[in-house]
Amino acid sequence: MTRAAILPAGPDPFLLAYWFRNFARVWSSEVDELHVLVCGQADPTAQEYIVDRALAVSNPGLSVNIRFLKQRLDHGQALGLLMDRVTADHVVFLEDDAYVRRTGEIAARFHRLENGVDVIGGPRGNASMEIIAAAETRFGEVWTASSGESGHALWPCFLFARRDVLEATDRHYGARNWTTGEMVGGLNLTARSPLSADTFGSATYQLRANKARIEVESQYRITNTNQMREWVTDAPWFHVGSLSSGYGNVLGDDAGSLSTNEYEGADWARRLSWWERFARTADGLPDHLAHYRAEIASYVERARIGRSDIDGWTQAYQGWITWQETP
């Protein structure tokens, strides 16, 4: 049985170089294939850098496939395009801001798939209240992982599944909207008003209606430092989240554009701590990197993010990192 890692990615070359480093040093030997779709990166120099860092993780037992799209793409659409080319028996969906902390953890979940489980994933809610109520009626009480994360749906990250079980759905893996009168698949629900569910919500409801054998695990999606202290000993991985809001959005991209978007608040300090980490551990693209660093500094000043807030997040995350970050 073959195993494939599926990575829909944004355009940030330094974020991706960091992700490939974690993959290579912690768990690249636990899959047979790595499929990457980089969306929104059209600069040839940046593309060459990303390909070089991707191929550097390869080994004789690993096939690396990487493609680029010039435009940004919905997360679910990117997953669909990736899955269209995958023939492996089992897959794991990842995100480019999610990291594995211990060797053997990915292999252990694949082993469970190979021995009868259909899907393993982290629970989440993130849907209209009418949908959440219908899911509770149809499927029973909410899933709750050991971390306390809960919901009737699953994250599309650290999501392990048999490919044939996923393909028994309508293969709509993204966020979804339903208009009034439209049927919500898997829930026996006709929308009485416009409804929505976040990425992989619709697919989860269909999987559950299809009687897939599903087990839940913690996502370890960190949003505050209290969680970090509670989870750090047990967490096999973690999901930073929301880092796609950086490059090409609140940070201008390598075309030289300057972003005018600015947002304040603690969560932006958290994200900035990671964009600074990517810049600090970067190993190429000197001109792009100079622009990247200038954009980070500009954003910190414009949005009046406190230096102590950023540094606090940097220090808190450092205890979670178990791999060598630098090249």
Side-chain angles (χ1 to χ4, degrees), residues 83 88-91 93 113 116-120 154 159-171 173 200 203-204 206-208 210-214:
M83 287 295 291
D89 301 290
H90 302 124
V91 300
F93 288 174
L113 295 184
V117 178
D118 293 326
V119 180
I120 303 168
L154 298 170
L159 186 286
F160 301 80
R162 286 176 42 191
R163 180 175 53 83
D164 61 336
V165 170
L166 290 177
E167 291 180 347
T169 70
D170 64 5
R171 307 187 191 187
Y173 304 124
F200 208 75
T204 304
Q206 294 173 64
L207 289 168
R208 299 188 73 170
N210 291 345
K211 306 296 184 184
R213 295 162 293 184
I214 300 173

Side-chain angles (χ1 to χ4, degrees), residues 6-202:
I6 310 299
L7 180 65
D12 187 333
F14 306 112
L15 178 156
L16 278 168
Y18 189 95
W19 191 94
F20 289 131
R21 216 170 292 137
N22 170 260
F23 174 70
R25 292 172 178 172
V26 181
W27 62 280
S28 64
S29 64
E30 298 172 38
V31 292
D32 305 297
E33 304 166 12
L34 172 64
H35 297 264
V36 184
L37 181 62
V38 180
C39 302
Q41 181 53 265
D43 183 276
T45 306
Q47 287 185 354
E48 182 179 358
Y49 171 84
I50 292 168
V51 169
D52 180 71
R53 297 310 180 271
L55 295 181
V57 308
S58 190
N59 57 61
L62 175 68
S63 170
V64 177
N65 302 281
I66 184 165
R67 290 182 285 156
F68 291 87
L69 285 179
K70 292 182 179 180
Q71 72 275 21
R72 292 258 190 166
L73 202 61
D74 171 82
H75 189 160
Q77 288 180 291
L79 284 171
L81 288 175
L82 284 161
M83 287 295 291
D84 284 345
R85 294 194 180 186
V86 172
T87 59
D89 301 290
H90 302 124
V91 300
V92 56
F93 288 174
L94 284 309
E95 294 189 31
D96 57 11
D97 57 2
Y99 307 105
V100 179
R101 301 181 69 223
R102 294 194 291 265
T103 299
E105 298 288 358
I106 298 296
R109 275 62 179 185
F110 275 118
H111 183 70
R112 281 156 57 185
L113 295 184
E114 292 158 359
N115 284 275
V117 178
D118 293 326
V119 180
I120 303 168
R124 73 187 308 196
N126 297 48
S128 299
M129 290 306 299
E130 187 177 346
I131 286 180
I132 291 174
E136 186 165 346
T137 298
R138 178 80 194 270
F139 304 124
E141 68 179 79
V142 66
W143 279 323
T144 301
S146 61
S147 60
E149 297 162 289
S150 62
H152 288 98
L154 298 170
W155 282 93
C157 181
F158 298 122
L159 186 286
F160 301 80
R162 286 176 42 191
R163 180 175 53 83
D164 61 336
V165 170
L166 290 177
E167 291 180 347
T169 70
D170 64 5
R171 307 187 191 187
H172 190 304
Y173 304 124
R176 197 159 190 171
N177 297 304
W178 293 268
T179 59
T180 302
E182 193 173 359
M183 179 67 73
V184 180
L187 292 181
N188 294 335
L189 173 67
T190 301
R192 294 178 294 181
S193 60
L195 300 175
S196 63
D198 213 334
T199 308
F200 208 75
S202 173

Side-chain angles (χ1 to χ4, degrees), residues 241-284:
S242 302
L243 296 189
S244 61
S245 59
Y247 183 98
N249 185 21
V250 301
L251 309 178
D253 59 26
D254 26 90
S257 60
L258 295 174
S259 172
T260 58
N261 295 324
E262 54 193 59
Y263 306 94
E264 301 179 37
D267 199 58
W268 289 95
R270 184 180 66 84
R271 301 179 209 188
L272 280 158
S273 77
W274 277 93
W275 298 328
E276 289 188 345
R277 186 180 296 275
F278 301 146
R280 188 168 60 251
T281 57
D283 61 343

